[in-house]
């Protein structure tokens, strides 16, 4: 451990399709943790990998006829674009599995030498019975481990729980030369090799979804600790809960399978992000379209406070109030931190003129550590879905001026008609003491 430094590894995507909302939850959760750590420690290294060699990718290439490299390049770019739209910062390091085959092979060789792995029928497998406390992270007994893994019955396994470190590749599949012939790595060895390469054999935080506890993270621990028995691997494990959709398990067959890409065609990214933060990260999350609409309305209120205080907007960032930092420091309690955000918004709305700048700065700073309120208020209210009807802003302002003249002339029927016509086109007018503003509904 190096004082003042934090290393964090989070399992990233397997790039063969658009990321769904379940993939997005750990990205957003650990993005908040990353933002918090960067405020508390002088040096933070956040590593999130890209799995670009996997049987799912191979299957997608076989189904589509598309080249594997084309699939992984296209879907990686889409992942980056979608996560950026959710306000996620880029990790400090984003290693690709295919660029670290040498490190994987070296780790497998160490495991064989140490008696924790064996070669059989062109495969290399981890010998699970060789590790006395295998299963400690998940807390499963041996029968549960085997059942939970839905283990493949294979003649090359000495024990049903043994898992693949290296497997042979046919001519049409990706493959690399190795001491065991041309082949490719198993899924689990990738993260062990990449975390060790960039964070060392012992690091601070390992994160990912609850679904990865077993077998993926259990197997990472086994590989890393048995290859380097004098080191401890991850000191702290953090897992976000499952995502349900409309109260049911997310499933394409049920029609409730949401990709981030398609949701961004309907909603601003911050609204989606807020839904993911309103439930504590360790709890299951029920993701609904109604929740996104409610989150957008919530952000309207927060941005509305900043909009009214636009003239008091601080030139420099403010300090995050202790209440928000304390909430996040308590096992990343984002619901409590969001409550603090609402209190700050209320304080801004009530603030005297000489205190508005400080209140606005605190609200912006608290929003920043949560990855929220990152837009200009005017841009937020004028956001429209891609492909939606483009309404000339000058024309809107002209209609607002015409409505104002109608109200002055007591022609309330015309004023109401202008308001209703704009509402039909998705433009909501809001009258206040300082005049009329508009936003997209």
């Amino acid at each position: 451990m190096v004082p003042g430094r934090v290393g964090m590894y989070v399992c990233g995507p397997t790039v063969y399709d658009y990321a769904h909302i379940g993939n997005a939850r750990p990205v957003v959760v650990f993005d908040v943790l990353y933002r918090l750590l960067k405020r508390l420690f002088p040096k933070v290294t956040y590593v999130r990998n890209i799995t670009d060699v996997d049987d799912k990718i191979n299957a997608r290439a076989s189904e589509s006829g598309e080249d594997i490299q084309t699939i992984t390049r296209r879907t990686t770019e889409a992942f980056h674009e979608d996560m950026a739209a959710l306000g996620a910062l880029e990790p400090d390091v984003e290693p690709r599995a295919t660029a670290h085959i040498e490190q994987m092979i070296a780790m497998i060789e160490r495991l064989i030498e140490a008696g924790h792995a064996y070669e059989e029928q062109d495969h290399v497998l981890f010998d699970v019975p060789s590790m006395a406390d295998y299963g400690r992270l998940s807390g499963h007994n041996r029968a549960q481990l085997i059942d939970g893994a839905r283990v493949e019955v294979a003649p090359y396994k000495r024990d049903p729980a043994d898992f693949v470190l290296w497997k042979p590749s046919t001519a049409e599949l990706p493959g690399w030369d190795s001491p065991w012939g041309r082949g490719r790595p198993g899924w689990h060895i990738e993260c062990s090799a990449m975390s060790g390469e960039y964070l060392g054999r012992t690091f601070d935080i390992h994160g990912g979804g609850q679904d990865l506890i077993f077998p993926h993270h259990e197997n990472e621990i086994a590989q890393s600790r048995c290859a380097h028995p004098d080191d401890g691997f991850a000191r702290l494990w953090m897992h976000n809960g499952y995502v349900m959709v409309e109260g049911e398990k997310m499933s394409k067959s049920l029609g409730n399978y949401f990709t981030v890409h398609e949701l961004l065609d309907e909603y601003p990214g911050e609204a989606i992000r807020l839904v993911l933060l309103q439930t504590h990260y360790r709890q299951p999350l029920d993701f609904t379209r109604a929740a996104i609409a409610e989150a957008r309305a919530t952000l309207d209120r927060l941005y509305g406070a900043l909009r009214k205080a636009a003239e008091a907007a601080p030139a420099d960032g403010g300090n995050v109030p202790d209440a928000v930092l304390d909430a996040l420091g308590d096992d990343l309690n984002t619901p409590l931190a969001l409550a603090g955000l609402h209190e700050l918004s209320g304080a801004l709305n009530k603030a005297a003129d000489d205190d508005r700048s400080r209140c606005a700065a605190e609200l912006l700073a608290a929003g920043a550590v949560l990855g929220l309120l990152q837009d200009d208020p005017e841009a937020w209210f004028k956001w429209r879905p891609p492909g939606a009807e483009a309404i000339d802003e000058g024309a809107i302002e002209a209609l607002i001026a015409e409505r104002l003249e109608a109200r002055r002339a007591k022609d309330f029927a015309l004023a109401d008609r202008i308001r209703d016509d704009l509402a039909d086109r998705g433009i909501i007018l809001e009258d206040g003491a300082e005049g009329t503003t508009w936003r997209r509904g």
Side-chain angles (χ1 to χ4, degrees):
M1 178 181 290
V2 180
R5 295 190 178 186
V6 177
M8 178 171 71
Y9 186 91
V10 176
C11 291
T14 299
V15 285
Y16 68 100
D17 204 348
Y18 287 121
H20 54 68
I21 200 65
N23 303 136
R25 191 180 191 191
V27 173
V28 170
V29 164
F30 291 104
D31 179 68
V32 173
L33 180 58
Y34 180 44
R35 290 168 181 267
L36 176 65
L37 292 172
K38 283 166 68 71
R39 285 184 171 268
L40 301 177
F41 296 92
K43 176 63 176 177
V44 179
T45 303
Y46 174 23
V47 182
R48 186 184 67 214
N49 73 293
I50 295 285
T51 295
D52 59 349
V53 52
D54 185 85
D55 288 345
K56 291 180 180 178
I57 302 171
N58 300 339
R60 179 57 53 88
S62 178
E63 294 166 2
S64 66
E66 192 175 10
D67 178 75
I68 285 174
Q69 286 71 30
T70 302
I71 291 173
T72 58
R73 182 174 58 253
R74 172 174 52 77
T75 52
T76 298
E77 289 174 358
F79 174 78
H80 288 154
E81 291 172 1
D82 291 345
M83 297 308 109
L86 297 185
L89 301 174
E90 294 182 1
D92 297 297
V93 186
E94 190 178 56
R96 301 174 71 94
T98 53
H100 298 80
I101 302 298
E102 181 180 341
Q103 291 90 332
M104 298 176 205
I105 290 174
M107 179 170 275
I108 294 170
E109 288 179 318
R110 287 184 65 91
L111 289 168
I112 293 174
E113 291 169 5
H116 290 291
Y118 59 93
E119 181 182 2
E120 190 70 42
Q121 297 184 28
D122 299 323
H123 291 72
V124 181
L125 297 106
F126 184 87
D127 183 6
V128 168
S130 73
M131 184 180 186
D133 60 349
Y134 181 86
R136 186 174 178 181
L137 179 67
S138 60
H140 293 335
N141 61 39
R142 182 165 179 73
Q144 290 172 317
L145 291 172
I146 295 173
D147 180 62
R150 298 185 297 277
V151 296
E152 175 189 5
V153 177
Y156 47 77
K157 287 187 176 186
R158 294 179 183 173
D159 186 277
D162 293 350
F163 58 88
V164 173
L165 301 172
W166 189 265
K167 51 191 168 185
S169 290
T170 57
E172 68 274 10
L173 292 175
W176 291 263
D177 291 334
S178 80
W180 319 286
R182 183 178 180 275
R184 61 195 191 279
W187 171 34
H188 314 298
I189 195 69
E190 298 177 6
C191 288
S192 286
M194 289 185 282
S195 63
E197 178 72 11
Y198 295 101
L199 296 175
R201 297 172 184 172
T202 301
F203 56 93
D204 300 294
I205 301 169
H206 196 316
Q210 184 178 342
D211 58 309
L212 297 181
I213 295 175
F214 187 83
H216 185 52
H217 288 166
E218 200 76 78
N219 291 351
E220 277 189 69
I221 292 170
Q223 295 159 164
S224 298
R225 286 184 50 216
C226 289
H228 305 289
D230 295 331
D231 299 293
F233 197 46
R235 294 187 176 94
L236 175 67
W237 288 87
M238 297 178 68
H239 296 97
N240 63 270
Y242 293 109
V243 174
M244 308 288 284
V245 175
E246 306 289 350
E248 297 183 282
K249 183 178 179 180
M250 186 167 56
S251 167
K252 288 183 178 180
S253 63
L254 293 174
N256 66 351
Y257 183 92
F258 294 157
T259 68
V260 175
H261 196 76
E262 65 181 325
L263 288 171
L264 288 169
D265 283 338
E266 302 179 52
Y267 307 99
E270 274 198 19
I272 300 170
R273 181 185 180 96
L274 179 55
V275 175
L276 296 173
L277 295 178
Q278 287 174 325
T279 300
H280 191 277
Y281 79 93
R282 286 190 286 104
Q283 300 301 314
L285 167 68
D286 188 13
F287 191 90
T288 68
R289 289 182 180 275
I292 310 176
E294 291 171 6
R296 185 176 181 186
T298 295
L299 287 165
D300 283 347
R301 292 191 291 274
L302 296 173
Y303 272 112
L306 291 170
R307 187 188 215 181
K308 293 174 184 176
E311 76 285 353
D316 300 317
N319 295 318
V320 182
D322 289 342
V324 174
L325 288 178
D326 289 346
L328 294 177
D330 183 13
D331 195 19
L332 212 63
N333 191 335
T334 54
L336 185 58
L338 289 169
L341 213 62
H342 291 296
E343 290 182 8
L344 292 168
S345 173
L348 176 57
N349 282 327
K350 298 174 184 177
D353 290 345
D354 59 355
D355 205 28
R356 297 180 82 189
S357 180
R358 179 189 62 80
C359 290
E362 288 186 349
L363 177 57
L364 286 169
V369 77
L370 289 161
L372 299 171
L373 305 180
Q374 300 298 284
D375 211 342
D376 174 80
E378 292 303 321
W380 168 263
F381 285 112
K382 294 172 184 177
W383 180 90
R384 60 185 176 86
E389 178 190 3
I391 304 176
D392 182 74
E393 293 187 10
I396 295 172
E397 296 295 344
L399 287 169
I400 290 174
E402 182 181 348
R403 176 173 176 265
L404 178 60
E405 288 302 317
R407 294 178 72 182
R408 285 173 177 166
K410 299 190 183 304
D411 188 350
F412 299 115
L414 175 59
D416 289 347
R417 187 161 63 249
I418 293 172
R419 180 198 62 206
D420 294 343
D421 287 347
L422 285 171
D424 289 342
R425 301 169 70 184
I427 304 300
I428 308 301
L429 302 185
E430 295 179 340
D431 298 316
E434 299 177 358
T436 300
T437 58
W438 64 273
R439 62 179 174 84
R440 298 185 187 274

